[in-house]
Amino acid sequence: MRRDAAERFLKNPEKYAHHDRVFLNNPAVMQGMGLAPLVVLATSGRNAFMLAIAVALLLTPSRLLACLLSRAVPLNDEEPSAEELEKKLLFRGLIYCGSAAVVYFLVYPILNALFGVELLSLGVYLPLLVVEPLLIYRFGRVQEWPRKAFSKGIRITVGYGLLLLLVGCIREWLAAGTVFGVTLTRPVLPMASMPAGGFIVLGVVCAVWRALVSWRKKDLRNEAGNVVGMYAHKEVNHKQ
């Protein structure tokens, strides 16, 4: 860990972790976003892969488009007043959902070319990604810059895609004994292919994930403390 990163972490560990949307602050694990696709559709590695590609094509472009269009009704404060929210949130919500819908119409032919009739297995939940909080939850927050919207969109896409693939492969293995169609064992928990089983698997995965996040934060705190202490010791020796 670099010295500047170590100092930022020690100054505000939660803010440092907040920017890590892949592991430390995965939006699905830590904020409960995007649960419906995980529980209902990610029943196999293949389904999870199709969803991950769809999210990758939708999330960052729609976020960038909404970031630009929402400047027509910007929120100027980190904690806007009730009056400002009342005037602007409806329009910003429509802009974010409308942006995601426009991008979806452009992306669907690409998905169709890649997966064909397999897309039908995703049912209505594929177009419902347009109003998924994972894509549109920023409409009620302070105005983003395009660079930040792009960076955060990529990180959220990677984090959510990894969780999709992890849950999909675990559920396929439990329900059918296979991963991406390759037989590994006998079925362990057939109900894993059902939404009820999806909730159970996702709950266990999230519990383990959060435990690992807690352990990683402690490890980072120790590492950051050692880095800052080492540099402070060097500066003292240099002055002497």
Side-chain angles (χ1 to χ4, degrees), residues 7-89:
E7 290 175 345
R8 288 200 308 271
F9 181 84
L10 291 177
K11 184 177 180 180
N12 194 337
E14 292 306 317
K15 185 176 180 180
Y16 181 92
H18 178 77
H19 294 291
D20 182 356
R21 299 289 177 159
V22 177
F23 178 63
L24 296 180
N25 191 31
N26 186 289
V29 176
M30 307 307 288
Q31 284 96 40
M33 296 181 186
L35 296 187
L38 282 163
V39 170
V40 179
L41 298 181
T43 57
S44 66
R46 183 64 176 175
N47 275 10
F49 178 71
M50 288 192 290
L51 277 170
I53 295 298
V55 170
L57 293 174
L58 281 169
L59 196 149
T60 302
S62 63
R63 192 184 186 104
L64 276 171
L65 181 59
C67 172
L68 296 173
L69 294 178
S70 63
R71 293 180 180 279
V73 280
L75 291 176
N76 300 315
D77 301 317
E78 188 67 37
E79 296 182 2
S81 64
E83 293 77 12
E84 185 181 4
L85 288 175
E86 185 177 353
K87 292 177 181 178
K88 295 183 177 181
L89 279 189

Side-chain angles (χ1 to χ4, degrees), residues 170-171 173-177 186-194 197 200-201:
I170 291 175
R171 292 178 68 183
W173 168 66
L174 290 173
R186 292 181 178 180
V188 179
L189 183 68
M191 74 172 294
S193 62
M194 303 170 62
I200 295 172
V201 172

